[in-house]
Amino acid sequence: MSTMREDLVVMKFGGTSVEDATAIDRTSKIVRGRRERGRKTIVVVSAMARVTDQLLAAANAAGRGDKAGALAISARLRTRHIETAAQLLENALFVSFQTWLDSEFDSLDDLLRGIAAVGELTPRTNDLVVSFGERLSSRIVAEAFAQRGLNGAHVDARTCIITDNQHGKAVPQETAIEARLAELVLPLVEKNQTPVMGGFIASTAEGVTTTLGRGGSDYTAALVGGGLHAGAIEIWTDVNGIMTTDPRVCPDALRVKTISFEEAAELAYFGAKVLHPATILPAVQKNIPVWVLNSKNPGNEGTQITALSPVCKSPFKSIATKKKLTIIDVVASRMLMSHGYLKAVFDVFDKYKCPVDMVSTSEVSISLTVDSNQQLPEICAELSKIADVKYEGQKALVCLVGEDIRGQQGIAAQVFAAVKHVNVRMISQGASEINMSFMIEESDVDEAVRSLHSHFFANPDPAVFDVEARVTVAAR
Ligand code: ASP
Ligand code: MG
């Protein structure tokens, strides 16, 4: 096993951190700060904010045969990228770079025309279209870094991140990736350059472009950091890290300074916009600390995600919620005791590709919660063939996450005492033993969160939560 490169940091910047010239300039200052502290840097960037969505829209338009619609989207993207580069680069550099940008957009347009002519969009072609987002952003950022004295060196991520051929959500091949990184990226680092690569995009061993799934740039950062045994991975986004709860609901919410991978994974499910922890697994498995940081507030310390949970005096790290849920009650007196019943029920959800959030069962009934969606009437009609079905919308899930629930007594009593004024519809103690969740009316949720937060975070452990922020606010 190769040794850890303590001085190497992989910095990933999301779409908002590279959304325009101002953001890219800010990003370059953050990278400079790390280099001035003697760190070696590798940068992974997302496409500029919203570009992936727009490329997908262009691909879909072309797939429907709407060539004009697809080309119009591409034209707007061309203008945006050229304007950003023009603002970032001095004239001489910009002129040659614009030639390159134009030729890239010309080939994107050719591709869209081809799709429109055939009137069919395959997953493989779709990957090729969306890959332009990161191909372009990474080149612009590399050029901007080169001009700002950061020794930016562009690396086409597709030469390093090798995957299988499952287009849209390809599976990385870590051994091959490690070899490519050692061959193509490490020498640049050793020459004190800053390799800049696009996240999310990859290729098969044969060189066919693939992508790692939406939000996949974090995954790229973890693969690069893991593959090169970096000392740290930094995920730069536009929030201060993971919070004890949504600060808009609860102004008292605190930044969580350190959280375990497992806890972060539970929270991610609630769409905690920060990151999808599954994507940082390659780093966590190698014990590389991952930091979530705010590029609009770079002085903030962020949240550190570690393999093991820190010792914490509070049972919970964070309270998350999920709204717009529907509870479906399936009562099956006719099917009492018959086997294969749960399967029959879940097959219906499977058929409609409808994910189920929470389940609780009794001898004759099953309650399930799902995201409210347009297909509920169809799903329920189909379930009615095997059971009596009722459904009710406008429900919300409250979830408390913390490793220290394990083995502590009386936690459930405290939770339900804190929300004794609200009507609790369903309860589940997470199978992972690190979450406790319950369903209530959507209209009760903010109030319930505030009440739970003031109970469980009245005396937060300063080792784990940023209590200084609270003191500062109180002193104002
Ligand atoms: N640009 C890709 C997306 O929007 C990947 C990423 O940003 O992580 O999903
Ligand atoms: Mg993201």
Side-chain angles (χ1 to χ4, degrees):
M1 203 193 121
S2 48
T3 46
M4 188 108 151
R5 293 188 177 86
E6 275 301 336
D7 58 346
L8 177 63
V9 47
V10 176
M11 308 173 77
K12 180 261 170 173
F13 292 90
T16 52
S17 306
V18 295
E19 68 186 341
D20 54 23
T22 312
I24 294 174
D25 197 48
R26 200 188 297 127
T27 292
S28 75
K29 295 199 173 92
I30 293 171
V31 176
R32 180 190 305 279
R34 288 291 178 272
R35 290 171 65 82
E36 283 171 357
R37 279 198 245 157
R39 309 297 293 271
K40 293 189 157 43
T41 46
I42 298 178
V43 170
V44 174
V45 295
S46 290
M48 295 168 75
R50 300 175 302 282
V51 167
T52 304
D53 288 336
Q54 289 160 8
L55 287 166
L56 281 171
N60 284 322
R64 289 192 305 270
D66 177 8
K67 186 174 78 181
L71 292 176
I73 296 173
S74 166
R76 283 197 295 276
L77 288 172
R78 187 190 291 245
T79 308
R80 178 171 172 200
H81 283 82
I82 289 177
E83 278 177 8
T84 304
Q87 286 167 27
L88 282 165
L89 305 178
E90 71 189 28
N91 214 21
L93 243 170
F94 171 67
V95 173
S96 64
F97 188 62
Q98 186 180 2
T99 312
W100 179 82
L101 274 175
D102 273 325
S103 71
E104 286 294 292
F105 275 101
D106 291 346
S107 56
L108 174 60
D109 289 350
D110 285 345
L111 183 57
L112 293 170
R113 281 191 204 97
I115 298 168
V118 184
E120 187 197 359
L121 178 65
T122 64
R124 174 172 168 162
T125 315
N126 194 60
D127 268 354
L128 195 54
V129 174
V130 290
S131 74
F132 277 87
E134 272 74 7
R135 283 156 63 183
L136 297 161
S137 66
S138 59
R139 271 301 291 265
I140 294 178
V141 170
E143 296 288 332
F145 281 12
Q147 194 170 311
R148 283 161 179 69
L150 298 172
N151 297 341
H154 184 255
V155 174
D156 189 332
R158 294 173 297 171
T159 59
C160 299
I161 307 297
I162 305 301
T163 65
D164 69 7
N165 65 359
Q166 294 181 55
H167 288 283
K169 215 174 176 38
V171 179
Q173 314 288 300
E174 293 192 30
T175 317
I177 292 172
E178 209 162 308
R180 298 285 183 101
L181 289 169
E183 181 196 338
L184 301 169
V185 176
L186 205 51
L188 301 172
V189 174
E190 277 157 4
K191 280 193 282 181
N192 202 26
Q193 294 191 291
T194 295
V196 179
M197 47 203 279
F200 175 61
I201 58 174
S203 81
T204 64
E206 294 75 36
V208 177
T209 297
T210 57
T211 60
L212 302 177
R214 294 305 305 267
S217 295
D218 298 338
Y219 204 175
T220 306
L223 290 163
V224 174
L228 291 173
H229 304 271
I233 293 171
E234 298 178 347
I235 307 288
W236 289 85
T237 128
D238 56 0
V239 295
N240 282 340
I242 294 174
M243 305 291 286
T244 50
T245 196
D246 184 346
R248 286 165 303 184
V249 173
C250 190
D252 240 16
L254 296 168
R255 176 172 57 88
V256 183
K257 293 204 264 189
T258 152
I259 194 165
S260 73
F261 172 77
E262 249 192 288
E263 290 167 330
E266 288 287 336
L267 289 171
Y269 156 80
F270 293 92
K273 281 128 227 106
V274 183
L275 82 171
H276 198 294
T279 62
I280 61 162
L281 197 57
V284 173
Q285 280 166 341
K286 294 190 168 125
N287 245 319
I288 301 173
V290 177
W291 297 84
V292 177
L293 294 153
N294 186 352
S295 64
K296 294 194 174 140
N297 184 12
N300 190 288
E301 286 166 33
T303 300
Q304 185 185 15
I305 301 173
T306 52
L308 294 177
S309 177
V311 179
C312 180
K313 297 196 190 76
S314 324
F316 298 115
K317 299 287 187 328
S318 185
I319 306 170
T321 60
K322 191 170 183 184
K323 293 185 186 167
K324 297 202 181 85
L325 297 179
T326 295
I327 296 186
I328 306 177
D329 291 315
V330 183
V331 181
S333 18
R334 291 175 262 158
M335 301 286 258
L336 183 63
M337 303 291 287
S338 76
H339 76 276
Y341 179 60
L342 279 175
K343 179 175 185 306
V345 169
F346 279 102
D347 280 348
V348 175
F349 289 92
D350 199 37
K351 177 171 164 196
Y352 289 93
K353 296 195 171 28
C354 174
V356 173
D357 286 316
M358 194 198 265
V359 187
S360 73
T361 56
S362 75
E363 188 66 38
V364 294
S365 70
I366 311 173
S367 296
L368 314 109
T369 70
V370 298
D371 273 344
S372 306
N373 73 41
Q374 276 121 30
Q375 291 194 304
L376 275 178
E378 283 93 332
I379 292 174
C380 289
E382 203 150 327
L383 287 171
S384 308
K385 293 182 197 151
I386 53 171
D388 301 320
V389 183
K390 278 199 317 263
Y391 65 97
E392 225 183 294
Q394 284 163 9
K395 299 289 178 281
L397 185 62
V398 178
C399 171
L400 298 106
V401 172
E403 299 248 11
D404 297 289
I405 316 177
R406 284 185 176 132
Q408 282 198 41
Q409 283 173 12
I411 298 292
Q414 289 179 47
V415 168
F416 292 109
V419 293
K420 59 176 182 288
H421 44 290
V422 308
N423 179 26
V424 175
R425 274 291 313 266
M426 269 169 82
I427 302 174
S428 133
Q429 162 105 40
S432 66
E433 290 182 49
I434 67 163
N435 92 43
M436 199 179 276
S437 325
F438 55 88
M439 293 287 289
I440 59 180
E441 295 297 328
E442 214 170 70
S443 53
D444 287 333
V445 77
D446 290 355
E447 155 76 39
V449 166
R450 283 192 282 266
S451 169
L452 287 162
H453 196 272
S454 64
H455 180 82
F456 287 103
F457 296 96
N459 289 304
D461 185 341
V464 176
F465 304 100
D466 181 16
V467 290
E468 277 156 42
R470 189 178 278 178
V471 176
T472 325
V473 171
R476 259 191 224 140

